[in-house]
Amino acid sequence: MKWKWKVSDLYLIDKEKLATGLFNVGVLIAFLGSLNPWFMWWIGNLYPIPAAMCVGGAYMVMRTTNRSFFTRNEYLLPLLFFIFYYFYERMSLGLGVNGYIIGLFRATIFLFLFRLSFEKMQKMIVFLSKCLAVLLSFSLLGLFLYLSGFPLPSTNVQFGEFYSYTNYYLFMLDDRALFQILPRFHAVFIEPSHIGTACAFLLFSQRGKWRKWYNIVMLTTLFLTFSLASYIYIVVIVFLNLWIRGKQMIRKLVATLAVISVVLIVTFTYNNGNNLVHDLILLRMEIEDGEMAGDNRISNNFEGDYENFISSSDVLLGREMDNSEFGNAGYRVFFYEHGIVGVVLVWLFYVVSLMYTPNKRAFVSVLFVALLFFGASAFMLWDNIFIPLYAAAYLTPQTLSESNPIIQET
């Protein structure tokens, strides 16, 4: 009888698994770092450094094998446009040399994301979704215990100049919501809209799989944020996913409109309209003086500066903005800071990075959702925004079947 077991089996490492783990951890660090959870405040804006080291390490490990999952060749143009826009943004904001150095680490992350095979991209986005869902599950448990009156350890914390919280470790409570019966949920992150948008965009890349446990957790989180923008994104994404998959939309549209109608009726009648959905969502959709009440992304002071800006010569390259006032966001702030050149460069980057998908419906759909986000927030290079949108454009049944004929749409 021949002995087939070898001692080397105890210490030999599967290099592909190691590289996959390094890449996924690197992307997870970048994704979470851009969302600013309290446990990453200590690293600040330096999170791209460990993220890039993990991603670059994955590439170096695969270089020692006869195979690689960094197989795609359409990476040069997207990378060049990322670099053009990123360094233009640094210049227009007048940031120091550290910002340019961090840009090299961010370019490393984007380079290997652009080279990643579709099969590994699918596994990566599922890994991201599961990790976020586990984190959110603990946060939801903490919120439930808090609402039940269970005493939780806490401390007072502050992020930057304008954010202050009671940190219950499993989740944070904004000091502005201390006396609300059901506060807006934002887990361990700084704003409800941030985590709500991240969940919506991850769900965009998970089409056909929303019944998975981790996607249900993200849907629950999104609902509890009471974020009007996140609600709009997810409703739009529902129909765009049907369109991308070639499904019949009429029946779904009728059913969705029926559900929305029921919700509206209940919201306006329950407790005579004195409820959270009415106060936090529907009141923000009322029209006041020709504008939506929830369209409060800029202050009155900035609105005056913006009107002066669009009629000045600064409109081409942008103008330095006074950030001493809290609450300004959206496309007008982006245009003010970066001008026409910045707007053109960031959209060229999006178009060039997404244009290689064979599913043109996915290409158009992702650009449309990106346009909605640009209007509301315009943080187009945040990793928690771009990575799931990028995956949503490429992770279609067509691309997955081309990369692996065994893969079937679920």
Side-chain angles (χ1 to χ4, degrees), residues 144-157:
F144 174 77
L145 292 174
Y146 169 80
L147 295 176
S148 301
F150 187 86
L152 295 172
S154 65
T155 185
N156 296 322
V157 296

Side-chain angles (χ1 to χ4, degrees), residues 23 42 63 77 81 94 107 117 126 182 185 214 282 294 304 331 338 356 376-377 381:
F23 184 85
W42 64 274
R63 283 285 300 272
L77 275 179
F81 275 96
S117 69
V126 170
L182 180 59
F185 180 62
Y214 47 90
L282 297 184
Y331 72 94
H338 306 301
Y356 296 105
S377 300
L381 289 192

Side-chain angles (χ1 to χ4, degrees), residues 61-348:
V61 169
M62 293 307 295
R63 283 285 300 272
T64 65
T65 68
N66 295 323
R67 59 192 185 278
S68 177
F69 50 73
F70 298 105
T71 55
R72 295 172 56 217
N73 297 317
E74 311 93 354
Y75 64 90
L76 186 57
L77 275 179
L79 182 63
L80 286 176
F81 275 96
F82 169 79
I83 294 173
F84 288 156
Y85 170 70
Y86 183 88
F87 283 91
Y88 171 81
E89 181 187 65
R90 299 300 96 181
M91 288 187 294
S92 62
L93 293 176
L95 300 181
V97 66
N98 289 342
Y100 294 95
I101 296 174
I102 293 297
L104 298 177
F105 289 98
R106 295 207 66 198
T108 300
I109 300 169
F110 278 76
L111 165 63
F112 294 115
L113 177 66
F114 295 147
R115 298 201 62 183
L116 190 66
S117 69
F118 296 130
E119 183 180 358
K120 287 296 182 182
M121 190 187 303
Q122 183 186 47
K123 293 179 179 179
M124 177 269 289
I125 209 70
V126 170
F127 174 81
L128 275 184
S129 301
K130 287 182 177 180
C131 288
L132 183 62
V134 169
L135 179 60
L136 293 173
S137 295
F138 284 107
S139 289
L140 288 167
L141 174 62
L143 178 67
F144 174 77
L145 292 174
Y146 169 80
L147 295 176
S148 301
F150 187 86
L152 295 172
S154 65
T155 185
N156 296 322
V157 296
Q158 187 161 339
F159 180 82
E161 185 180 353
F162 301 108
Y163 294 97
S164 60
Y165 309 91
T166 302
N167 186 2
Y168 292 97
Y169 302 105
L170 294 177
F171 74 102
M172 293 194 300
L173 182 63
D174 194 311
D175 287 347
R176 292 168 294 185
L178 285 176
F179 302 105
Q180 292 180 2
I181 298 176
L182 180 59
R184 296 179 65 187
F185 180 62
H186 49 94
V188 295
F189 308 102
I190 60 175
E191 284 194 15
S193 62
H194 291 182
I195 186 56
T197 300
C199 288
F201 290 178
L202 276 175
L203 288 165
F204 197 8
S205 67
Q206 290 283 301
R207 62 182 64 93
K209 301 177 182 178
W210 285 17
R211 294 181 181 178
K212 300 288 187 180
W213 69 268
Y214 47 90
N215 291 327
I216 292 174
V217 171
M218 288 194 289
L219 276 169
T220 303
T221 298
L222 189 153
F223 174 75
L224 291 176
T225 64
F226 295 104
S227 166
L228 176 60
S230 302
Y231 287 3
I232 293 173
Y233 297 145
I234 200 65
V235 170
V236 171
I237 285 169
V238 166
F239 292 106
L240 289 178
N241 276 342
L242 291 172
W243 184 57
I244 291 170
R245 298 171 66 197
K247 302 293 184 179
Q248 295 294 327
M249 296 176 58
I250 301 300
R251 186 173 60 182
K252 298 284 186 179
L253 177 61
V254 172
T256 302
L257 291 176
V259 171
I260 292 175
S261 299
V262 171
V263 170
L264 289 175
I265 293 172
V266 171
T267 300
F268 278 109
T269 56
Y270 177 72
N271 198 26
N272 294 320
N274 296 316
N275 55 77
L276 283 171
V277 176
H278 178 269
D279 294 342
L280 295 178
I281 301 299
L282 297 184
L283 284 182
R284 298 178 64 199
M285 300 179 69
E286 291 184 352
I287 304 299
E288 298 175 354
D289 299 325
E291 295 183 357
M292 185 180 293
D295 185 20
N296 56 354
R297 308 296 290 175
I298 61 173
S299 65
N300 292 332
N301 290 336
F302 175 73
E303 187 172 9
D305 289 341
Y306 182 79
E307 293 299 325
N308 173 267
F309 162 76
I310 60 177
S311 60
S312 71
S313 59
D314 293 334
V315 72
L316 183 63
L317 298 176
R319 179 187 294 178
E320 184 179 357
M321 183 173 171
D322 179 11
N323 291 313
S324 62
E325 193 172 36
F326 177 71
N328 292 314
Y331 72 94
R332 284 167 287 197
V333 173
F334 184 95
F335 186 32
Y336 188 93
E337 291 187 315
H338 306 301
I340 294 174
V341 173
V343 173
V344 171
L345 284 177
V346 76
W347 281 103
L348 280 175

